[in-house]
Amino acid sequence: GAVVSQHPSRVICKSGTSVKIECRSLDFQATTMFWYRQFPKKSLMLMATSNEGSKATYEQGVEKDKFLINHASLTLSTLTVTSAHPEDSSFYICSAMTGKGADEQFFGPGTRLTVL
Amino acid sequence: DAKTTQPPSMDCAEGRAANLPCNHSTISGNEYVYWYRQIHSQGPQYIIHGLKNNETNEMASLIITEDRKSSTLILPHATLRDTAVYYCIVRVRSGGFKTIFGAGTRLFVKA
């Protein structure tokens, strides 16, 4: 299957700082990428859908000014957690799809964010 | 909201078949049944999907009832490495779909 990578795999930052997480499709072009957040022992929660070259679509209750998403190329989407606080500590997972006809969805390995 | 209902947890003996049920009584005609699993602290891994026919691949088999209101994922010979959370998801297969995860089933494979 296709490979999706995330960087960094884990990050620790101080409260009030901003953190950028990268999601890359390594061997295919992803017209659409998704960002999920997962708290311990909970399921994945969809945060937003990111389409290349256009603004992301955020799910209800997700602050777009807090979680900035940029999908500038067909292989890269970034999620920036702005002015991070301890409650933003979570496991962030991206996924990507090709956009060609019947699509499958490939998930990245996740990024563990800890805000002190 | 997720459109599926799964038992929160199941146990299975190593080497035995693991049968994971899923109810999706409101599934639409153009929605597929997908199964993913998530091993601790990793991203979800695709397992299998189907529309109405039973499907089999190197990982598992998927049995979908004739009315499509429920399905069963079968791991024929479970190993300790199959311990994970298994998610059953229904969605369309193209055209701007979103994958919404429910609570899933936590499968414990025991030696």
Side-chain angles (χ1 to χ4, degrees):
Chain A
V3 178
V4 176
S5 70
Q6 285 184 237
H7 177 80
S9 58
R10 57 179 62 231
V11 56
I12 301 172
C13 69
K14 293 182 178 180
S15 185
T17 61
S18 294
V19 175
K20 180 184 285 188
I21 302 170
E22 294 184 348
C23 176
R24 293 182 185 272
S25 56
L26 297 186
D27 50 2
F28 67 100
Q29 293 185 326
T31 56
T32 303
M33 289 184 172
F34 303 90
W35 287 95
Y36 292 84
R37 180 167 59 179
Q38 185 175 33
F39 292 109
K41 299 190 183 298
K42 299 294 185 182
S43 186
L44 286 78
M45 184 194 79
L46 179 64
M47 300 175 68
T49 302
S50 166
N51 291 296
E52 187 267 337
S54 63
K55 291 183 178 180
T57 302
Y58 290 80
E59 295 298 304
Q60 190 173 9
V62 178
E63 300 176 61
K64 62 180 180 181
D65 295 330
K66 172 76 171 176
F67 300 99
L68 300 179
I69 292 172
N70 184 284
H71 192 161
S73 78
L74 287 172
T75 59
L76 173 65
S77 176
T78 60
L79 168 68
T80 301
V81 183
T82 62
S83 187
H85 292 283
E87 57 266 30
D88 299 323
S89 298
S90 189
F91 192 50
Y92 291 88
I93 302 169
C94 74
S95 70
M97 54 180 275
T98 62
K100 295 180 181 179
D103 299 301
E104 305 312 336
Q105 192 173 6
F106 306 99
F107 287 84
T111 296
R112 175 79 56 194
L113 170 63
T114 303
V115 184
L116 302 177
Chain B
D1 291 340
K3 299 180 179 181
T4 62
T5 305
Q6 300 176 250
S9 66
M10 294 181 65
D11 290 346
C12 177
E14 188 178 22
R16 295 294 188 105
N19 297 285
L20 292 91
C22 179
N23 286 320
H24 32 80
S25 58
T26 61
I27 191 170
S28 300
N30 62 344
E31 289 181 318
Y32 287 69
V33 179
Y34 280 78
W35 283 83
Y36 292 84
R37 73 179 181 184
Q38 186 180 26
I39 295 170
H40 183 62
S41 294
Q42 297 182 25
Q45 176 190 20
Y46 165 82
I47 301 174
I48 198 167
H49 74 276
L51 182 61
K52 52 184 177 181
N53 297 322
N54 298 336
E55 302 288 345
T56 296
N57 62 20
E58 65 277 5
M59 290 183 68
S61 294
L62 173 61
I63 308 298
I64 302 174
T65 58
E66 192 169 342
D67 63 6
R68 303 213 317 128
K69 293 185 177 181
S70 66
S71 61
T72 301
L73 178 74
I74 301 173
L75 308 178
H77 305 286
T79 70
L80 299 178
R81 288 181 295 180
D82 291 322
T83 293
V85 179
Y86 287 77
Y87 296 100
C88 168
I89 293 160
V90 295
R91 62 165 168 84
V92 296
R93 202 174 171 199
S94 62
F97 62 79
K98 296 189 293 188
T99 297
I100 305 298
F101 286 82
T105 295
R106 191 171 294 272
L107 175 69
F108 296 94
V109 180
K110 300 181 177 181

